[in-house]
Amino acid sequence: MPQSSSLNLDKITDRNLRAVGEKVATGNRLSNQDAELLFSTPDLLGVGMLADYVNRRKHGDIVTFAANQHINPTNVCYLRKTCVFCSFARLPKEEGAYHYTLDQVFAEAETAATGLTKEFHIVGGLDMKAGLQYYSEMFRGLKARYPHVHIKALTAVEIAHIARIDKMSVEDVLRTLHEAGLDTLPGGGAEVFGRGVRMAIADKKLAAEDWIEVHRTAHRLGIRSNCTMLYGHVETIQDRVEHLRMLRDLQDESGGFLAYIPLAYHPDNNELGVELGRQGTATTGFDDLRNLAVARLFLDNFDHIKTHWIMVTPFLSQTSLAFGVNDLEGTVVREKIYHEAGAHTAQGLSLAEILDLIWSAGKIPAERDSFYNILRVFERDAVAA
Ligand code: SF4
């Protein structure tokens, strides 16, 4: 149950930030300049306090998570040479390239047979052999085997790729996949929308306007989606703010986004990491917390801000629950994409581990479905007893 909480602006040490705090206290929308200040002030605790205030008004002490499983059916991608931040993709004949048959996908999905997994999160490379038929049969097969499991699948970039190789419109691809069982879209592939950044890190990838257009079309068809930003590489503060502004604008227009998830860049095993001399170093905890907190404040029309523990560690994710975050990436089971890029986190977390992370942050864990309806709340004493 959302709680009211008070906001003591005297605790903010940066005077300029206090002026932003007054807007937050009165519920006024923040400007791009406000967001730039949030990204640059040294008073991270002040930013966190404001974000926590807004978050508590929306969600009280509840922190949600989903029992989900990641499946990556193919790492073959024709953009392998041009997305220089990517450690996951391979060319078709390159060592380590794989393309699952449908039976392999169904075998990997078998953990859902326990009834615990409630969502498949399915994304992969832009594989010329992975078109509309492949994914339609995959989703039909998964729904036939596990009708209770929600399918969140295919980034906007993959949807546009299927449209291109199957010579169809994005709208027809989305309609067909929706009929086959796709329920929602994940938020990947957005990277940073700014043209200069895209040219530097993902030259040939779907343009920002086209990424937005795929999500706009999905929302119009009643398919809800998530959105992301990959931060911590070559982007500027202005790039970050402009990216968030574009997401906020689409949310004003369609209301179709479920959650925003900032994604921390990992520099291992990719060209960009070598170019930047960043191999072995990831984003800082300071920046990770700031990205989450700023999102909570600037994206005032989003209900859910989610932390991706695989990228920033479960401990940072736990801390972020006091910085405006109300949703924690779920059980995952077997993560590949960020582990290829040097993530040292576990490939999955058990239910007990997730509950413990949330409880020990003084919050109340609640399992949710993919539309953020709460399925069960875990009171510590009730579970311990
Ligand atoms: S980021 Fe996506 S589109 Fe780019 S190379 Fe990797 S898998 Fe392919």
Side-chain angles (χ1 to χ4, degrees), residues 77-81 83 85-86 88-89 124-126 157 191 205:
C77 184
Y78 81 94
L79 292 186
R80 150 90 173 84
K81 296 282 184 196
C83 290
F85 64 90
C86 178
F88 170 71
L126 307 185
V157 180
E191 320 316 353
K205 201 164 203 167

Side-chain angles (χ1 to χ4, degrees), residues 122-162:
I122 303 173
V123 293
L126 307 185
D127 184 341
M128 301 308 281
K129 290 197 205 142
L132 193 65
Q133 190 181 354
Y134 177 70
Y135 284 114
S136 299
E137 285 177 18
M138 184 187 299
F139 299 159
R140 266 200 201 92
L142 287 170
K143 283 286 185 190
R145 287 164 178 79
Y146 312 110
H148 68 288
V149 180
H150 178 106
I151 297 180
K152 179 173 76 188
L154 303 177
T155 66
V157 180
E158 292 171 273
I159 296 289
H161 170 70
I162 294 168

Side-chain angles (χ1 to χ4, degrees), residues 91-238:
L91 291 172
K93 299 218 160 59
E94 197 174 347
E95 194 187 337
Y98 72 86
H99 171 104
Y100 285 170
T101 62
L102 293 180
D103 284 340
Q104 284 173 305
V105 172
F106 300 147
E108 184 143 333
E110 263 171 18
T111 57
T114 61
L116 286 178
T117 297
K118 305 212 173 57
E119 176 187 283
F120 293 128
H121 174 114
I122 303 173
V123 293
L126 307 185
D127 184 341
M128 301 308 281
K129 290 197 205 142
L132 193 65
Q133 190 181 354
Y134 177 70
Y135 284 114
S136 299
E137 285 177 18
M138 184 187 299
F139 299 159
R140 266 200 201 92
L142 287 170
K143 283 286 185 190
R145 287 164 178 79
Y146 312 110
H148 68 288
V149 180
H150 178 106
I151 297 180
K152 179 173 76 188
L154 303 177
T155 66
V157 180
E158 292 171 273
I159 296 289
H161 170 70
I162 294 168
R164 196 164 48 246
I165 62 177
D166 279 282
K167 301 188 174 44
M168 293 169 72
S169 67
V170 161
E171 178 165 341
D172 286 345
V173 168
L174 285 167
R175 271 187 209 286
T176 308
L177 292 172
H178 196 31
E179 278 164 22
L182 177 145
D183 295 300
T184 52
L185 297 184
E191 320 316 353
V192 173
F193 290 145
R195 199 176 291 271
V197 180
R198 252 181 146 66
M199 278 176 71
I201 70 165
D203 193 15
K204 299 278 188 293
K205 201 164 203 167
L206 190 69
E209 301 69 33
D210 297 329
W211 188 99
I212 290 279
E213 195 51 38
V214 172
H215 283 260
R216 179 182 281 123
T217 307
H219 296 172
R220 185 160 40 77
L221 296 176
I223 303 170
R224 301 198 66 186
S225 66
N226 287 341
C227 56
T228 61
M229 174 173 71
L230 183 78
Y231 66 91
H233 41 86
V234 301
E235 84 285 4
T236 62
I237 285 177
Q238 288 75 18

Side-chain angles (χ1 to χ4, degrees), residues 344-355:
H344 298 294
T345 46
Q347 287 199 305
L349 285 182
S350 67
L351 177 62
E353 288 169 316
I354 287 181
L355 296 183

Side-chain angles (χ1 to χ4, degrees), residues 153-371:
L154 303 177
T155 66
V157 180
E158 292 171 273
I159 296 289
H161 170 70
I162 294 168
R164 196 164 48 246
I165 62 177
D166 279 282
K167 301 188 174 44
M168 293 169 72
S169 67
V170 161
E171 178 165 341
D172 286 345
V173 168
L174 285 167
R175 271 187 209 286
T176 308
L177 292 172
H178 196 31
E179 278 164 22
L182 177 145
D183 295 300
T184 52
L185 297 184
E191 320 316 353
V192 173
F193 290 145
R195 199 176 291 271
V197 180
R198 252 181 146 66
M199 278 176 71
I201 70 165
D203 193 15
K204 299 278 188 293
K205 201 164 203 167
L206 190 69
E209 301 69 33
D210 297 329
W211 188 99
I212 290 279
E213 195 51 38
V214 172
H215 283 260
R216 179 182 281 123
T217 307
H219 296 172
R220 185 160 40 77
L221 296 176
I223 303 170
R224 301 198 66 186
S225 66
N226 287 341
C227 56
T228 61
M229 174 173 71
L230 183 78
Y231 66 91
H233 41 86
V234 301
E235 84 285 4
T236 62
I237 285 177
Q238 288 75 18
D239 290 324
R240 289 180 181 184
V241 173
E242 184 55 16
H243 184 100
L244 293 177
R245 206 254 327 138
M246 286 173 74
L247 295 176
R248 191 172 75 175
D249 283 356
L250 180 55
Q251 182 75 329
D252 275 345
E253 183 189 319
S254 72
F257 286 127
L258 288 160
Y260 169 73
I261 311 137
L263 302 175
Y265 166 61
H266 274 258
D268 286 0
N269 306 322
N270 57 65
E271 209 181 299
L272 184 62
V274 176
E275 230 175 79
L276 299 175
R278 288 262 311 272
Q279 296 263 291
T281 65
T283 51
T284 64
F286 205 89
D287 205 21
D288 295 332
L289 289 175
R290 194 198 287 276
N291 267 281
L292 289 156
V294 176
R296 170 55 80 203
L297 292 166
F298 188 73
L299 298 179
D300 55 1
N301 51 4
F302 279 64
D303 285 335
H304 307 290
I305 304 295
K306 173 171 170 173
T307 174
H308 206 266
W309 58 259
I310 295 155
M311 303 179 115
V312 296
T313 79
F315 313 113
L316 195 291
S317 284
Q318 183 187 42
T319 310
S320 75
L321 303 182
F323 282 73
V325 169
N326 75 300
D327 190 53
L328 191 81
E329 175 58 305
T331 43
V332 176
V333 181
R334 201 173 297 118
E335 201 286 328
K336 291 195 188 90
I337 295 177
Y338 301 106
H339 285 85
E340 295 270 342
H344 298 294
T345 46
Q347 287 199 305
L349 285 182
S350 67
L351 177 62
E353 288 169 316
I354 287 181
L355 296 183
D356 218 41
L357 272 182
I358 299 172
W359 277 327
S360 45
K363 300 274 186 167
I364 303 165
E367 184 183 349
R368 62 164 174 82
D369 69 12
S370 302
F371 293 108

